[in-house]
Amino acid sequence: MRPDAVEQVVLDALRNANLARDPSVQLVVAPGAPIFGPDSPLDSLGLVALLLDIEDALRDRGCPVVLSDERAVSQKRSPFRSVTTLVDYIGTLLQTEQA
Amino acid sequence: MATRTVLVTGATRGLGKALVEHFLNAGHTVIGCGRGETTVTHERYTHWRLDVTDATAVSGMFTELKRTVVTLDVLINNAGVASMNAVALTPLDAARRVVETNFLAAFNFTREALRMMRKSSGGRVVNVTSVAVPLRLEGEAVYAASKSALETFTRIAAHEFAAFNVTCNAVGPCPVETSLTAGVPRQKMDRLVAAQAIQRWARPEDVVNVVDFFLRPESAMVTGQVIYLGGVS
């Protein structure tokens, strides 16, 4: 799966998440936008829902990955902090799956 | 109650089979799984023959369910094994088997099911625990510990699942005449019954009644609760 297609999946998931969020806590939907951390209003349960949406979308495209495994949790810098880092992380997981 | 899609583990016999038959009679679509073949034949029933501790088999079942079932509304984690023995005489492998079946399998099913339940208008997870937890009888340390883990899991999962409009509760039957209790010495079971406020064995329909309460749409505010039968607390 190409990086631009992965990025589109992540952006679509953010758009979808915004549908259920109050106007005052909307997530930025853009390449490079923050997802989880001090610059984002997304809390930990919101992150779980977002990751599940992304996993479902990737599975529907024939690319099943588990995003919230121990590798992600143990990384010093969370792969979930921005669209850029998450897309890179998914790319790494997909390469590992194919290897 | 609107018809739902219900998944029951340990569905081959005993309480699980009673739950399957109850849900079918109520008009629901039911998916059951267990190590043995089923004797239930119904157009709305699908049986998966698998060991709930076999993560690969369970993952394969959920992959197929995600492909064929639009929404999963209810998960009943009923599968369980009993092991009555003194701590000093319990082999490690026996303890591991109890924990893997009674707790880890329920965790795995819940984790997988939650992904499907997010699309439900009101998902329900019901875990089957036991009065062995509050009664703390000797000889039941491993079994009660595994169910105690399931109860703590129930209470914490309730907090996490609320955001997905999914409740998570547990029912703790007192002794029910099933294959699970058939292997336990009668004397031990009688001691359990003697510790209850209502001193008789439970019937499957006593358990079904509590499960039905958790499943009612009106129970949307009931989550993280453990209800024991027989007046045990």
Side-chain angles (χ1 to χ4, degrees), chain B residues 5-13 16-17 19-21 23-24 29-38 40 42 44-52 61 65 69 72 74-76 78-79 109:
Chain B
T5 301
V6 183
L7 171 57
V8 180
T9 70
T12 309
R13 52 191 179 168
K17 185 182 175 189
L19 285 163
V20 165
E21 290 170 338
F23 291 132
L24 288 171
T29 298
V30 185
I31 301 146
C33 63
R35 283 179 296 179
E37 291 288 358
T38 183
V40 177
H42 196 287
R44 281 184 277 104
Y45 183 63
T46 308
H47 189 80
W48 287 76
R49 191 173 178 186
L50 54 78
D51 183 335
V52 293
M61 184 192 77
L65 291 181
V69 178
L72 182 65
V74 177
L75 167 66
I76 312 289
N78 165 71
F109 268 80

Side-chain angles (χ1 to χ4, degrees), chain A residues 45 49 52-53 55-56 59, chain B residues 66 115 118 159-160 163-164:
Chain A
L45 286 178
L52 290 177
D53 281 341
E55 284 185 6
D56 285 349
R59 186 186 298 110
Chain B
K66 283 166 192 161
R115 293 162 186 265
R118 294 192 304 139
H159 283 267
E160 294 192 16
F164 303 121

Side-chain angles (χ1 to χ4, degrees), chain B residues 188-199:
Chain B
K188 284 184 182 288
M189 302 310 294
D190 287 343
R191 284 177 60 201
L192 269 172
V193 172
Q196 298 167 193
I198 301 168
Q199 296 182 354

Side-chain angles (χ1 to χ4, degrees), chain B residues 135-150:
Chain B
L135 290 179
R136 297 173 185 165
L137 295 178
E138 62 270 24
E140 298 190 358
V142 174
Y143 176 71
S146 70
K147 292 296 191 182
S148 188
L150 185 60

Side-chain angles (χ1 to χ4, degrees), chain B residues 31-162:
Chain B
I31 301 146
C33 63
R35 283 179 296 179
E37 291 288 358
T38 183
T39 55
V40 177
T41 53
H42 196 287
E43 60 183 6
R44 281 184 277 104
Y45 183 63
T46 308
H47 189 80
W48 287 76
R49 191 173 178 186
L50 54 78
D51 183 335
V52 293
T53 65
D54 183 341
T56 303
V58 172
S59 176
M61 184 192 77
F62 273 99
T63 298
E64 184 63 14
L65 291 181
K66 283 166 192 161
R67 196 179 66 78
T68 56
V69 178
V70 177
T71 304
L72 182 65
D73 302 296
V74 177
L75 167 66
I76 312 289
N77 279 313
N78 165 71
V81 291
S83 176
M84 306 298 169
N85 208 343
V87 172
L89 301 177
T90 302
L92 179 59
D93 281 348
R96 184 177 286 121
R97 184 176 67 90
V98 172
V99 173
E100 285 183 350
T101 305
N102 294 356
F103 172 60
L104 286 177
F107 154 74
N108 193 32
F109 268 80
T110 305
R111 190 175 62 99
E112 292 277 5
L114 180 67
R115 293 162 186 265
M116 297 183 70
M117 283 186 183
R118 294 192 304 139
K119 295 168 187 164
S120 171
S121 59
R124 299 282 191 269
V125 177
V126 179
N127 296 319
V128 178
T129 178
S130 168
V131 294
V133 176
L135 290 179
R136 297 173 185 165
L137 295 178
E138 62 270 24
E140 298 190 358
V142 174
Y143 176 71
S146 70
K147 292 296 191 182
S148 188
L150 185 60
E151 291 185 11
T152 300
F153 174 75
T154 299
R155 294 184 174 107
I156 295 176
H159 283 267
E160 294 192 16
F161 298 175

Side-chain angles (χ1 to χ4, degrees), chain B residues 161-215:
Chain B
F161 298 175
F164 303 121
N165 200 26
V166 174
T167 67
C168 186
N169 294 287
V171 56
C174 49
V176 185
E177 297 269 15
T178 65
S179 56
L180 186 79
T181 53
V184 182
R186 188 74 188 194
Q187 186 184 1
K188 284 184 182 288
M189 302 310 294
D190 287 343
R191 284 177 60 201
L192 269 172
V193 172
Q196 298 167 193
I198 301 168
Q199 296 182 354
R200 68 164 173 81
W201 288 59
R203 294 180 292 263
E205 50 266 39
D206 295 317
V207 185
V208 167
N209 176 55
V210 178
V211 172
D212 266 350
F213 166 69
F214 288 140
L215 266 49

